[in-house]
Each structure stands twice: as C-alpha cells, then as structure tokens.
Amino acid sequence: MKEDKDLRSFEVGFVPENYIISKKYRPENLDIPVSDSIPLIDLQNTPLEEILKASQDFGFFQVINHGVPEKTMNDAMNVMEEFFDMPCKDESGIVSNSKNWVYEKSSNLTKEGVRLWRDNLKHPCYPLQKCIPLWPNKPPTYQKVIAAYIVEVHKLSLKIFEMICKGLGLDPGYFNDISEAQFLVANFYPPCPDPSLTLGLLPHRDPSLITVLNQGNSTGLQVLKNGEWINVGVVPNALIINIGNQLEIISNGKLKSVEHRVVTKKHEARRTIATHVNPSPDCIVEPAKALVNELEPPRYKSFRYIDFVERNKVFGDYTKEYTNAFQNVARSS
Ligand SMILES: O=C(O)CCC(=O)C(=O)O
Ligand SMILES: [Fe+2]
C-alpha cells in the first residue's frame, strides 16, 4: 500500500505486512452468520423496559421510528462519502482554533502501535454554531448537511436519555445539561484482500455517554457477548445506540458499556458516522446520587470528564490539541 497516495491506494491484492494485526487482535471465525441479535427497538412505543434490558444485557440496541428523517441520514452519509472520496484532502487537519478537525489516514499508527484498515475524520460539534465554520468546507455542502444531521441526532439522544432516566428512576432532565458535547467520528473502511489479517477498529468501549451510529447498509460491526463476537445486522433506516463508559459510571454499573470492533470485508466497503454524545469537558462524572445508598455504594470514583480524556488519551496523539481546542471554543461561547 502506498502511504502517500489517496484512498485508491487501498486497491491492493494483498495485505501489506505493516497492516497485519498482531495475533492477539486478529479476527477469527469470520464465517459465522450475521446475527441480528442485538435488540431492535421501536421508539414510537416509549419502550422503557426494552431499552433498559438491552442496555444491561448487550450495551447495544438498534432503533427504528427514531425521528431522524431518512433524508437527513442519507444526506449525511452521501456528503461523507464525497469527503472520503476526494483525492486531495488536507491531511494535516491538526486540531487548532481555526480548524478543529482531524483527518487520519489508515497509515497512522494507533495507540497500540497497529495500523487500522480505515480512514477516519473526527471533529467536535459543541457548541454547534461555533463549530460549524471550523469543519471541513469541502464538499461545499459539508457544513450545512452535517449540522442538520447533528441537530437531529441531538434530539434523538435527548429522547433516549429521557427514557433511560425514567427507567433508572432519575430526574427526567438529568442529562440535559451534561450531554451536549457531541463529537463526530466518521469512518471509511475499504474492501480488504484478507479480512482475517486486519481490523477496521480494535476492540474498545466508547468514552461517551451514548453513541449513535449510522452504518448505512453495511455490516462489519461486532459486539462482544458472553465472550463471543456477534455480528450486527443491517436494518434499513435504523440507528445503532450503544452505552458508553460514562453512562455506565453514572448508572453505577446498572447499564453496560460493551466492547465492540469493526471487521473488514473482502468485497464491500463500510462507511459509518458515529456521534459520540459526551459529557461536557468540565462535567464531574460520578454515579448518580439517586442510585447509590448503603446497600448499593458507589462503584466508581468521581472525576472531571476532561481529566479522564487526557489520562486515557481518548483521542490518541491528538488528545492534547483536541482538549485545548474544545475548551477554547467552549469558553468563547
Ligand atoms: O464505525 C463503526 O462501525 C464503529 C465506530 C465506533 O465504534 C466508534 O466510533 O466508537
Ligand atoms: Fe465505538
């Protein structure tokens, strides 16, 4: 793979040695059939119990009738496809005050020192109006289309938080002020000549409260359940929701943040837009007071979210730049 060329350099007949993932992470059993066993939930019916059960048993569920218009979802996927397909992107998208997005080619090493079979774009979305002009401006509709998508995803996340609050017994607005710091992560996973040797994304838990994932029509996401990787099937126009580790903490361990990864496909690309709904940087994250008592003492210590981000290098090599930019944008609002 020529690392200095555009995405078409993925069109290779074999996996270059430096993309072969260590045995520890290498996927096995890629032939297991696609399972749609993460729960599918119709949001129209205010399904409190289903959401709670799915969040406890799987940490993952798909939602339909979620209120995000199909057109908004498709427009966002299409503009992202255009972005990733542009032959010349600014690849030095280092986070700064003037340009707060990061575009990482697959040739970048991860924290674990491996190369992933994906290209990746990420940027903050909060406060939204301040962030929009700092996002990529090519394709020319990028800012408008993604802003419209983020507004809808925000509404959806509030709906989900409201149900989780009711289910757990928290004030209905518990998350309103602490869940606004959305962070967008878009991925392009090209076809791979030998999916058994690579990964699109290493096993991880999300550093968010919840993550809302638009996976279009592609498979590749796997979720760990009872020590086995299960494939997440495609449901037209559905969105995937998963519990991040910050919500696991706030729920005092009642809801589970579960490991997941992305495998590659021989003949199919995968394109996704994940919106990580995060606590704001200065938010103190701790088990909700209403959920702890003598019988159920807090299982986690409290911390400031930004300290967690820095300590765990949540955004890899760009963590410091990211947190600075985030705080500067937030303070100037
Ligand atoms: O691209 C995907 O399917 C998964 C993305 C993901 O897990 C993440 O952004 O945390
Ligand atoms: Fe994730």
Side-chain angles (χ1 to χ4, degrees):
M1 191 175 304
K2 295 193 201 91
E3 287 169 21
D4 55 343
K5 283 275 158 45
D6 67 24
L7 293 167
R8 280 146 203 88
S9 63
F10 275 108
E11 288 167 13
V12 290
F14 60 95
V15 175
E17 205 162 317
N18 53 11
Y19 282 77
I20 298 179
I21 219 137
S22 66
K23 284 232 167 72
K24 175 174 161 209
Y25 291 120
R26 234 177 264 176
E28 289 163 2
N29 294 333
L30 281 174
D31 293 334
I32 50 171
V34 169
S35 144
D36 57 358
S37 54
I38 69 165
L40 177 64
I41 299 181
D42 185 343
L43 282 194
Q44 231 160 33
N45 310 323
T46 325
L48 297 186
E49 283 184 10
E50 280 175 68
I51 288 191
L52 273 200
K53 186 156 173 29
S55 305
Q56 285 159 351
D57 293 352
F58 289 85
F60 267 80
F61 48 95
Q62 304 213 43
V63 290
I64 50 170
N65 290 321
H66 44 62
V68 182
E70 196 181 322
K71 181 171 181 325
T72 311
M73 285 172 65
N74 292 340
D75 287 353
M77 289 301 265
N78 290 339
V79 85
M80 243 2 140
E81 182 166 349
E82 271 184 71
F83 175 86
F84 280 103
D85 284 353
M86 275 189 315
C88 293
K89 284 176 285 297
D90 182 350
E91 285 162 21
S92 61
I94 304 295
V95 182
S96 72
N97 282 342
S98 58
K99 184 171 62 177
N100 67 346
W101 50 276
V102 172
Y103 170 67
E104 279 187 288
K105 281 179 75 75
S106 68
S107 46
N108 280 14
L109 292 176
T110 66
K111 282 188 284 187
E112 283 77 7
V114 295
R115 288 185 166 87
L116 298 175
W117 201 265
R118 69 152 188 185
D119 287 343
N120 169 260
L121 169 71
K122 38 183 170 271
H123 58 65
C125 309
Y126 173 77
L128 186 59
Q129 294 308 325
K130 291 264 172 194
C131 287
I132 294 169
L134 305 177
W135 295 344
N137 56 9
K138 282 188 242 137
T141 54
Y142 183 94
Q143 296 176 351
K144 192 165 163 239
V145 166
I146 295 301
Y149 179 72
I150 291 297
V151 166
E152 293 298 334
V153 169
H154 184 227
K155 283 191 226 159
L156 167 61
S157 60
L158 289 181
K159 239 187 254 178
I160 294 190
F161 285 131
E162 201 184 311
M163 291 188 212
I164 286 179
C165 284
K166 276 200 189 133
L168 287 176
L170 296 174
D171 286 344
Y174 188 92
F175 292 97
N176 287 6
D177 295 337
I178 62 163
S179 64
E180 291 184 316
Q182 302 191 49
F183 189 73
L184 178 139
V185 182
N187 299 292
F188 170 57
Y189 307 95
C192 173
D194 188 346
S196 70
L197 300 178
T198 60
L199 274 183
L201 205 46
L202 292 175
H204 68 282
R205 295 183 175 87
D206 288 357
S208 58
L209 291 162
I210 59 170
T211 302
V212 179
L213 179 72
N214 183 350
Q215 67 168 358
N217 293 317
S218 52
T219 55
L221 178 64
Q222 297 190 327
V223 175
L224 199 59
K225 172 88 171 127
N226 301 330
E228 307 259 336
W229 290 104
I230 57 171
N231 292 319
V232 176
V234 170
V235 178
N237 302 318
L239 286 163
I240 298 167
I241 310 288
N242 68 285
I243 306 299
N245 47 26
Q246 306 306 300
L247 183 52
E248 176 171 319
I249 292 167
I250 290 171
S251 75
N252 203 26
K254 289 198 166 59
L255 309 184
K256 295 279 178 285
S257 172
V258 168
E259 249 187 322
H260 50 287
R261 69 179 184 183
V262 174
V263 295
T264 59
K265 293 284 160 74
K266 199 158 185 172
H267 301 293
E268 272 172 59
R270 173 176 174 81
R271 296 170 189 277
T272 61
I273 305 175
T275 310
H276 290 230
V277 182
N278 293 337
S280 30
D282 285 329
C283 176
I284 303 293
V285 178
E286 60 187 3
K289 300 264 181 315
L291 301 180
V292 296
N293 53 45
E294 261 173 41
L295 291 177
E296 295 193 58
R299 296 172 58 183
Y300 309 85
K301 291 205 170 90
S302 58
F303 53 84
R304 222 162 51 111
Y305 183 61
I306 196 112
D307 296 335
F308 168 87
V309 167
E310 281 172 1
R311 200 172 47 245
N312 295 288
K313 285 194 103 193
V314 163
F315 304 110
D317 287 345
Y318 299 106
T319 299
K320 194 79 205 154
E321 288 88 343
Y322 168 76
T323 53
N324 286 345
F326 208 150
Q327 287 189 319
N328 288 340
V329 178
R331 279 197 195 106
S332 68
S333 61

